[in-house]
Amino acid sequence: MPHNASHPTPWWENGAVYQIYPRSFQDSNGDGVGDLAGIESRLDYVATLGVDAIWLSPIFPSPMADFGYDVADYCDVDPLFGDLAAFDSLLAAAHASGLRVILDFVPNHSSDQHPWFVESRSSRDNSKRDWYIWRDARPDGSPPNNWTSDFGGSSWEWDAGTEQYYLHAFLKEQPDLNWHNLDVRAAMMDVLRFWLERGVDGFRIDVLWHIIKAQGLPDNPPNPDYGPHLGERDKVLQTNSTDQPETHDISAAFRALADEYGERVLIGEIFLPNDRLCAYYGTPHRPEIHLPFNFALLENAWDARGLARIIADYEAALPPGGWPNWVIGSHDAPRIAARLGEAQARVAAMLLLTLRGTPTLYQGDELGIGEVTISQDRLRDPRELREPGLGLGRDRSRTPMPWDGSPHAGFSKVEPWLPLSDDWVKRSVAAQQGDTGSMLAHYRKLLALRREYPALAIGDYLGVAVQDDVLAFERRHGKERLLIALNLGDHECPISLPPGTSIADILHSTLSPRPFGGGLRRDEGLILLLEGTS
Ligand code: NOJ
């Protein structure tokens, strides 16, 4: 496949990833839920956006207790989404459009309906018993330890049939696999092989840092910062239930397997501080994950000084050869435009697409989908339903893509599984398509600039001292120098150019074009091409 042949770097280093949440992208068969044929029918849109790869949230057979993150068969496609033939067709069409395809691999847990778990819970002496994590109750009948599920309540579920508890880091319908068991590892390697042989270009690995638990399953320490405003997950620190040293053996094994197939990328979902996050790159002798997801922009306040420090700290934490990456939205996080408002969401897009490293975009953010109201009777996310009112729900980030002004926004012929966002008529692709000032045009322009200027795609990053509310940095590649200046505040701010430079061109503004007057308007971000004057 011809692909940015001018850069001798792996495709994911100069590419951008676009996350598709298949349930909400495009329905092709009129059941109100998106599917693979629907995605295939919209590939032109994705390719012309200017991204390089699509990552599909899980498409595998699933009872959908956690909307696909409860997998009942790792080597097939849920009928809701299509079948293996539909997947092969999508993969071929994506490749023909110059798009790579990344699947979501969910190794920490399966569905409780997976035949492995059905066998495992059938009796204590079943050969698959040890594929999951079973323990006796404490003498008083309580769970074996104090671990709490990410979705609230104990991480342990009592099985009356075999009179033991099993572990689940998420829902009870998502039992954790026992990665200390070598047969589990071998079976999961076969899963990866199955899809690699089919031609997928990589995997996003779900909750990678969870897969190994400390031997003996000791209690987790209480979280001193816990309060009732937090979900029950945060009652304890996940010291013994996550990020164990042996996890690195497993990610190195995933990598060794991926490397057998040429340029295939591994992206790890990992929420950890920089030092422990960056350990998942591995070492030159034992490489691990190409892109351990960096969620820093999602997790920190929107403030120039703080963000400058976060970027510098992350850059400093990267191991030699470790390629950075940045995320600003996902199916789990609040919409960026809801969090920051439209004007700063445009600044955020400019930041995401000009920082050094692979950006991951989430479907719909390029349309500026923001606040969404969902009535009580239409809430679907088990996280919200189990711990209501804490703002943990994820439905508002999962509403269907609005394509045009027809009923149901061109997403489906029937009422979709989740409602559309309130402002879908003005946010639709059709409404924004011809408008050069739209959020969609802004994303397209930014992605086009990444392809045009190697300084943006693969250049060095040089921080510039923060002045007022302005976050600024340079990207450099050879003689090419770009200054990115972002005003995160609500008043005009001056900017100073690096010594010995002048502006050769204003490549893009988050606001309407105008001659440069030495400063940034409120909410303005600029990309300036510099030239040397000395
Ligand atoms: C992370 C996924 O992104 C999220 O949607 C899911 O609920 C959990 N992992 C459990 O698989």
Side-chain angles (χ1 to χ4, degrees):
M1 188 188 325
H3 196 83
N4 282 2
S6 56
H7 301 312
T9 47
W11 63 265
W12 55 85
E13 293 194 359
N14 53 27
V17 177
Y18 182 78
Q19 182 192 355
I20 290 182
Y21 194 67
R23 294 183 70 87
S24 298
F25 200 62
Q26 176 65 57
D27 175 18
S28 75
N29 63 352
D31 61 2
V33 178
D35 47 50
L36 297 184
I39 296 171
E40 186 174 338
S41 73
R42 295 292 187 185
L43 282 179
D44 274 358
Y45 167 79
V46 181
T48 52
L49 192 58
V51 297
D52 302 84
I54 53 175
W55 146 35
L56 306 179
S57 280
I59 56 169
F60 318 107
S62 165
M64 301 289 166
D66 189 20
F67 296 113
Y69 286 94
D70 47 325
V71 180
D73 180 349
Y74 286 95
C75 297
D76 205 346
V77 170
D78 194 285
L80 198 59
F81 298 128
D83 53 19
L84 281 171
F87 176 76
D88 291 340
S89 169
L90 170 61
L91 184 66
H95 284 170
S97 309
L99 292 166
R100 316 278 175 156
V101 178
I102 297 168
L103 287 185
D104 212 314
F105 176 51
V106 189
N108 177 68
H109 44 268
S110 72
S111 160
D112 64 345
Q113 303 303 306
H114 194 296
W116 297 342
F117 188 73
V118 173
E119 269 198 58
S120 185
R121 87 185 306 172
S122 67
S123 78
R124 287 198 188 197
D125 52 17
N126 183 275
S127 61
K128 296 255 179 345
R129 185 67 170 182
D130 186 51
W131 281 42
Y132 293 83
I133 301 171
W134 292 94
R135 291 291 182 278
D136 289 337
R138 288 185 193 169
D140 65 356
S142 63
N145 66 24
N146 71 349
W147 295 2
T148 49
S149 150
D150 275 33
F151 293 159
S154 168
S155 283
W156 294 94
E157 179 70 12
W158 179 248
D159 178 57
T162 57
E163 299 193 318
Q164 276 191 317
Y165 281 98
Y166 67 84
L167 183 73
H168 57 92
F170 297 89
L171 297 173
K172 67 177 169 39
E173 292 85 359
Q174 295 168 289
D176 279 32
L177 282 149
N178 175 15
W179 277 82
H180 289 295
N181 181 306
L182 298 184
D183 292 336
V184 167
R185 294 189 191 191
M188 283 304 213
M189 290 298 178
D190 285 346
V191 168
L192 293 177
R193 268 190 208 98
F194 175 85
W195 293 106
L196 288 165
E197 295 286 342
R198 270 198 130 72
V200 306
D201 300 287
F203 300 95
R204 172 267 191 188
I205 307 173
D206 191 66
V207 296
L208 174 61
W209 85 115
H210 268 263
I211 59 181
I212 290 280
K213 314 353 168 176
Q215 288 287 2
L217 310 181
D219 273 354
N220 274 326
N223 176 3
D225 299 323
Y226 177 71
H229 60 292
L230 297 171
E232 288 186 353
R233 176 194 70 183
D234 296 327
K235 277 186 169 168
V236 294
L237 302 173
Q238 296 186 327
T239 315
N240 294 316
S241 49
T242 64
D243 195 32
Q244 298 301 304
E246 216 181 320
T247 314
H248 292 281
D249 300 341
I250 293 167
S251 41
F254 289 159
R255 172 63 176 270
L257 178 62
D259 283 350
E260 283 176 29
Y261 289 83
E263 282 203 341
R264 314 290 174 110
V265 70
L266 297 180
I267 304 176
E269 189 204 16
I270 302 162
F271 283 88
L272 286 174
N274 280 340
D275 54 340
R276 287 155 67 198
L277 174 70
C278 289
Y280 283 84
Y281 283 102
T283 63
H285 301 297
R286 202 179 70 147
E288 298 181 32
I289 302 303
H290 299 100
L291 303 174
F293 259 150
N294 164 20
F295 296 112
L297 296 178
L298 283 176
E299 293 178 315
N300 287 285
W302 196 247
D303 141 77
R305 212 161 288 279
L307 287 177
R309 194 179 50 247
I310 282 158
I311 297 163
D313 288 351
Y314 175 66
E315 282 277 348
L318 291 165
W323 183 250
N325 76 92
W326 298 93
V327 180
I328 233 168
S330 81
H331 65 296
D332 292 331
R335 286 270 182 203
I336 188 71
R339 191 182 142 205
L340 303 179
E342 162 116 22
Q344 282 296 321
R346 296 172 80 97
V347 175
M350 188 173 273
L351 177 64
L352 174 73
L353 294 172
T354 56
L355 280 171
R356 191 175 82 96
T358 305
T360 299
L361 286 64
Y362 177 54
Q363 73 174 49
D365 280 349
E366 77 278 17
L367 303 176
I369 295 176
E371 288 294 349
V372 178
T373 345
I374 303 186
S375 57
Q376 191 64 29
D377 61 315
R378 295 212 56 185
L379 292 173
R380 294 289 176 271
D381 181 15
R383 195 168 191 203
E384 174 66 25
L385 296 173
R386 287 173 55 87
E387 296 192 273
L390 296 176
L392 300 174
R394 302 167 295 178
D395 288 324
R396 285 177 300 164
S397 304
R398 299 176 177 182
T399 56
M401 278 287 282
W403 295 101
D404 57 40
S406 65
H408 314 303
F411 166 74
S412 178
K413 292 198 164 43
V414 301
E415 181 63 33
W417 73 287
L418 275 178
L420 292 155
S421 55
D422 312 340
D423 55 356
W424 66 271
V425 175
K426 86 166 198 236
R427 292 276 163 219
S428 77
V429 173
Q432 297 193 40
Q433 197 82 263
D435 175 1
T436 52
S438 67
M439 183 72 91
L440 179 57
H442 178 51
Y443 267 88
R444 284 186 173 147
K445 175 72 182 178
L446 289 165
L447 286 157
L449 288 171
R450 283 182 69 86
R451 287 192 172 168
E452 195 178 338
Y453 290 91
L456 283 182
I458 55 167
D460 295 337
Y461 168 89
L462 288 91
V464 172
V466 173
Q467 280 178 293
D468 213 340
D469 282 328
V470 177
L471 172 64
F473 50 91
E474 245 195 79
R475 300 293 312 280
R476 276 192 208 174
H477 183 71
K479 290 205 162 88
E480 193 174 274
R481 292 178 69 173
L482 268 55
L483 178 70
I484 292 91
L486 308 170
N487 186 353
L488 274 54
D490 58 7
H491 57 276
E492 288 187 12
C493 290
I495 50 172
S496 35
L497 300 179
T501 66
S502 62
I503 298 174
D505 198 2
I506 302 177
L507 299 181
H508 190 45
S509 166
T510 55
L511 305 177
S512 51
R514 52 102 207 215
F516 182 64
L520 293 170
R521 291 170 279 180
R522 60 179 292 177
D523 298 319
E524 184 170 39
L526 283 178
I527 305 178
L528 304 169
L529 181 64
L530 301 177
E531 62 191 358
T533 49
S534 48

